[in-house]
Amino acid sequence: MQVHLELAKYHELCCFSEDGNYDKDAAFFHLNCAADCGVMEAIIGLANIYYGIPHDILADVEAPAEMTEDEKTKNGLTYMTMAALGGDRKSMIFIARAYETGDNLDKSNTNSIRTALHWYEQVY
């Protein structure tokens, strides 16, 4: 639901804080809820957070430190794939390149020209 995305943004703007600091965990929770509800902006935001790509929403939030790099990549790939399946062209290209080169894939995935071609074809 869009309300979770807005709550994440309100946290980032310190609307619930008196000291100028916001609760990043609460903001991240609401961003996750919005993504789980299919809000594209949240899905793309989470993909970027997990991959360490600069992002607009919760710009100073990073993936949880206790996660391994492979876990971050796996989550990034999951959210990037969700965005691609939702029609986001940049995500389609990102996924296609990942499968073409093997970069940005977790250990359970390997590069696949067939999968890369599938995503390149979806762009057009």
Side-chain angles (χ1 to χ4, degrees), residues 4 8 23-36 46 58:
H4 284 290
D23 185 345
K24 292 179 183 178
D25 291 335
F28 193 70
F29 168 80
H30 285 291
L31 189 64
N32 272 291
C33 289
D36 290 345
L46 282 174
L58 306 183

Side-chain angles (χ1 to χ4, degrees), residues 1-6 31 33-45 82:
M1 294 192 308
Q2 192 73 24
V3 68
H4 284 290
L5 179 63
E6 297 307 318
L31 189 64
C33 289
D36 290 345
C37 291
V39 178
M40 186 62 72
E41 184 179 354
I43 294 168
I44 294 168
M82 287 172 58

Side-chain angles (χ1 to χ4, degrees), residues 25-99:
D25 291 335
F28 193 70
F29 168 80
H30 285 291
L31 189 64
N32 272 291
C33 289
D36 290 345
C37 291
V39 178
M40 186 62 72
E41 184 179 354
I43 294 168
I44 294 168
L46 282 174
N48 291 336
I49 287 171
Y50 283 116
Y51 271 123
I53 298 170
H55 47 281
D56 293 330
I57 187 159
L58 306 183
D60 60 343
V61 171
E62 297 176 355
E66 65 272 5
M67 294 181 82
T68 66
E69 287 304 312
D70 194 57
E71 290 172 324
K72 292 175 188 176
T73 301
K74 185 174 185 167
N75 283 343
L77 183 64
T78 297
Y79 284 108
M80 197 66 76
T81 302
M82 287 172 58
L85 289 169
D88 183 69
R89 293 169 61 95
K90 286 183 181 180
S91 298
M92 290 176 195
I93 292 168
F94 184 94
I95 294 296
R97 287 185 182 151
Y99 280 102

